[in-house]
Amino acid sequence: MSRLVMKFGGTSVANMERIRNVARHVARERKAGFDVAVVVSAMSGKTNQLVGWCKEASKLYDTREYDAVVSSGEQVTAGLLALVLQDCGIPARSWQGWQVPILTSGSHGSARILDIDGAPLIEGFDARGEVAVIAGFQGLSKEDRRITTLGRGGSDTSAVAIAAAIGASRCDIYTDVDGVYTTDPRIVPKARRLDRVAFEEMLEMASLGAKVLQVRSVELAMRHKIRTFVRSSLDDPDHPQPGTLICDEEDIVEQQVVTGIAFSRDEAQVTLRQVADRPGVAAAIFMPLAEANINVDMIIQVASEDSVTTDMTFTVPAAEFERTKAILHKAQSQIGFASLHGASDVVKISAIGVGMRSHAGVAARAFKALSDKGINIRAITTSEIKFSVLIEAAYTELAVRTLHSLYGLDQA
Ligand code: ADP
Ligand code: ASP
Ligand code: MG
């Protein structure tokens, strides 16, 4: 029999009524002849509450205990869904990460899945006709044998990894929107649902801020060629809509130049003024940040007029802003800069599309459109299938809407 993974996010399991609705989606697929593994998130808001409690308990919390606490949300929904399925006459059992087991690295709070034993799940299908309800977001560290979590949004990754482990023919990610849109529909009501999106584009969209899928889930789907759909759990279970298929570029017939616009508020800008203009200075700035595991993204070095000093601007994740400033101040005499300026009220807006490979001037049109709206660009980066601009956060919606219309993405 064909196997199927169905993942339900926080809004989809927010209360008992929604969990009953999930059971109806599962019953439909079982009736269609699938062996089903379900992956669930915690009820919406639960993980935030648990994270909040950890921070309240201890400012510099031990990430092993953080994982023990925040993984509990998924355990509750897995158990509840198994109970509801049983109540509907469907054999089902819940699985926690360590029971499968889903083995991960030891980096608590953002662990990577290393290995999943699909055999016990398959035995449940074959021997008992049982639906496997698996707690998403969690695993077991191979290093210290303790519970780990996979980083925020990690249940998407649990689902795709389980699909690979049990050889599922499809992985359906059910959420509160009916697919992947040209941009976040909460910001742009005119955003359009895409029938298909290429793995590479989805990877960029997710990395650049579209939180509809966790980045690692897209990496895994791409690597293992898992047919993955993003679809709505809020649809009537008896009349399901197909959603968006994440697929190979070749499987998309009508390719646009720009497929989507993403934005990320998780950025902070750092500018060092009057940096000595000599070989080795970039290394002196960025090596200590790399050693502290701080990801530097956009970098601009201004050519100096006098060949003596220059200005250097770059971005780091907003969560690392304070640590970055502290590290640079500590290394100030070694690096040799006059002053450090920082801003966290910035947003990175990106346009993504595999069509950019074969079209020139795509980014230039955006620069013009943004300047026509009086929006100042602070930094730019480009690569083969995307470009990003850093602007003041107050202009987020205006800039996203401007680019969305510019590239013809608005719904008719
Ligand atoms: P879940 O709890 O089901 O995992 P998430 O909140 O993680 O759901 O992801 C779904 C949300 O992602 C949507 O409600 C939407 O606001 C947001 N989102 C951001 N960018 C996009 C996009 N391009 N297409 C669809 N949804 C998007
Ligand atoms: N519950 C976790 C979170 O909110 C994981 C997930 O929902 O994917 O981040
Ligand atoms: Mg999510």
Side-chain angles (χ1 to χ4, degrees), residues 41-42 47 74 137 152-155:
S41 287
T47 309
E74 274 70 11
F137 183 50
R152 298 306 303 268
S155 297

Side-chain angles (χ1 to χ4, degrees), residues 7 9-11 174-177 179-181 183-186 205 210-212:
K7 180 256 171 178
T11 338
Y174 286 84
T175 181
D176 57 359
V177 273
V180 177
Y181 277 67
T183 192
D184 190 339
R186 283 191 218 186
M205 281 172 72
K211 291 193 173 135
V212 59

